[in-house]
Amino acid sequence: MPTFVDQTKIEVQAGKGGDGMVAFRHEKYVPNGGPAGGDGGRGGSIIFVADSGLRTLMDFRYRRKFKAENGEDGRIKSQYGRGAKDLYLKVPIGTTVYDFDTNEEIGDLTENKQELVVAHGGKGGRGNIHFATSVNTAPEIAENGEPGEDRVLRLELKVLADVGLVGFPSVGKSTLLSVVTKAKPKIAAYSFTTLTPNLGMVILPDGRDFSMADLPGLIEGASHGVGLGIQFLRHIERTKVILHLVAMDPANGRDALRDYQTIRQELLTYDKNLKDRKEIIVATQMDISGANEKLKQFKKDLKTEKIQAPVYAISSVTHEGIEQLMQHTATVVEQVEKERALQKPEPVQEVKEYKYQANQKNDFTITKLEDHVFEIKGENLERLVERTNLDYQDGVMRLARKLKNLGVDDALRKKGAVDGDDVIIGSFNFEFVQ
């Protein structure tokens, strides 16, 4: 049985755009020639696709870095470089994608075949066919392709189930799941029986069905990381109905009301919105002698505390009460679905796209590293230098004009730069000349 993996960290790097070409026409019977360098192709993007056939993030456990192909460089004779193919990565339905560094939510994949662009491929650089002017009819100018986005992501899987089973360890969640579905969870009589969420499908004789998840047993302090802790509480967030199982075994030495209130408090501490989630209380292990007396007291205690959730008594061994519980659960699931449909019709959205918010201002800072050495930093400025093809004098002169127009020369003078000082922008070094 594969290990359940519900959180992982990966790096994705989209492809770099192809470089533009510097080329000229040298064909016979073409009297004027002219620039003929084509544009570079776009780099490949990285796109997540929700796949109903996957249950865990296991595929990302041993491979942590994914890189898309680069775009092809521009060609001679005004031919464009070929764009790279996008890289599609399959993830389970219910995967939420976060930026690892900022913790910003990039997207949430909740439907089969839904797509999410997480890293955009770089644009191809323009060839010299774009830079001809009446003054310079044969420009040796081309742009380098943009680098693709490089991001570190945190993937988090929240099991998508209509119904979630919660309760202390060994109250019978796994057993109930195995009885009402075809799921085959590992079952044993010790704390933390279930170390991973199990998911199954309940199909009723009247044709109704719903998915059910057996979530790992909680203990007091789970919302603060005690025991299995918060790592599995996230799976309850998306359930429509909570089945709260409480053991009625009189020999376990536990107070049923306190068990119920403890787990309830852990859920609300983790997410206050769970207060409004539909809940059914399930009294389990009713086949044990003395369970009926404990159930009567439990119901009295619930009434005293003004807890109005319906209570169903069941035995997974004799199957007593299970059919009635499943029928009622299916009805409640339908009610929740109708209520949600009325509240907020969800628009169909096939492809989501994370928009990279680049700094649109031409802001930059100048730091004096040592005597006669200055470093300039600025996102757009560094991008400009990175995209300039400095193998040709025309390209160098064009960059110099742009830097001057952006106010770099004046800013360097104010910082005390004089002729001959070294200036660093990214990987580009040049000598300052007034």
Side-chain angles (χ1 to χ4, degrees), residues 158-185:
K158 299 174 184 177
V159 171
L160 279 174
D162 297 316
V163 178
L165 304 178
V166 302
F168 269 86
S170 299
V171 295
K173 298 186 301 298
S174 298
T175 307
L176 175 60
L177 183 75
S178 67
V179 169
V180 298
T181 76
K182 293 183 179 180
K184 297 180 180 178

Side-chain angles (χ1 to χ4, degrees), residues 99-340:
D99 183 285
F100 186 83
D101 298 316
T102 66
N103 211 34
E104 173 193 4
E105 183 179 319
I106 292 173
D108 196 7
L109 295 154
T110 58
E111 298 176 12
N112 191 37
K113 297 183 180 179
Q114 184 182 352
E115 297 182 0
L116 174 67
V117 182
V118 294
H120 293 83
K123 294 179 181 178
R126 292 180 295 172
N128 68 334
I129 55 175
H130 295 283
F131 297 99
T133 66
S134 58
V135 177
N136 186 359
T137 57
E140 291 188 328
I141 300 173
E143 291 177 333
N144 294 330
E146 282 186 351
E149 290 176 9
D150 189 349
R151 307 179 59 77
V152 179
L153 306 174
R154 176 168 61 87
L155 309 186
E156 188 175 283
L157 175 60
K158 299 174 184 177
V159 171
L160 279 174
D162 297 316
V163 178
L165 304 178
V166 302
F168 269 86
S170 299
V171 295
K173 298 186 301 298
S174 298
T175 307
L176 175 60
L177 183 75
S178 67
V179 169
V180 298
T181 76
K182 293 183 179 180
K184 297 180 180 178
K186 294 180 179 178
I187 301 169
Y190 51 85
S191 292
F192 299 119
T193 301
T194 305
L195 297 178
T196 63
N198 291 298
L199 192 65
M201 202 74 189
V202 179
I203 302 174
L204 299 178
D206 60 10
R208 294 187 295 173
D209 59 54
F210 56 87
S211 56
M212 178 183 286
D214 156 30
L215 305 178
L218 303 177
I219 62 172
E220 191 168 3
S223 58
H224 300 292
V226 177
L228 290 178
I230 207 167
Q231 60 178 312
F232 291 122
L233 275 168
R234 72 176 67 91
H235 296 297
I236 201 70
E237 287 180 34
R238 289 177 169 160
T239 57
K240 296 168 184 170
V241 179
I242 295 173
L243 294 192
H244 192 147
L245 276 62
V246 183
M248 291 296 116
D249 179 2
N252 63 12
R254 306 184 65 88
D255 181 83
L257 179 66
R258 187 182 183 283
D259 280 2
Y260 169 81
Q261 290 177 325
T262 299
I263 295 300
R264 184 74 178 166
Q265 186 57 46
E266 290 304 323
L267 296 177
L268 298 182
T269 300
Y270 175 72
D271 185 353
K272 291 180 180 178
N273 293 324
L274 293 175
K275 172 173 61 70
D276 301 319
R277 199 66 46 90
K278 296 289 186 181
E279 181 187 52
I280 301 171
I281 299 173
V282 182
T284 65
Q285 302 173 353
M286 293 304 298
D287 54 289
I288 298 175
S289 177
N292 284 316
E293 288 72 20
K294 188 169 183 177
L295 175 61
K296 289 178 183 177
Q297 184 60 48
F298 180 46
K299 286 183 175 179
K300 286 181 182 178
D301 294 339
L302 289 173
K303 189 174 183 180
T304 302
E305 295 293 324
K306 298 181 179 179
I307 297 169
Q308 298 179 347
V311 179
Y312 279 79
I314 68 162
S315 167
S316 295
V317 175
T318 65
H319 295 190
E320 173 194 347
I322 287 181
E323 184 179 346
Q324 293 90 334
L325 172 63
M326 292 300 103
Q327 291 286 349
H328 180 68
T329 302
T331 300
V332 176
V333 169
E334 288 177 343
Q335 290 173 353
V336 173
E337 289 174 345
K338 288 177 182 177
E339 288 172 6
R340 291 185 180 181

Side-chain angles (χ1 to χ4, degrees), residues 408-409 412-413 417-423 430-434:
V408 173
D409 289 7
L412 282 167
R413 289 191 197 96
V418 297
D419 283 357
D421 285 355
D422 290 329
V423 180
F430 66 94
E431 184 179 309
F432 181 62
V433 179
Q434 297 204 50

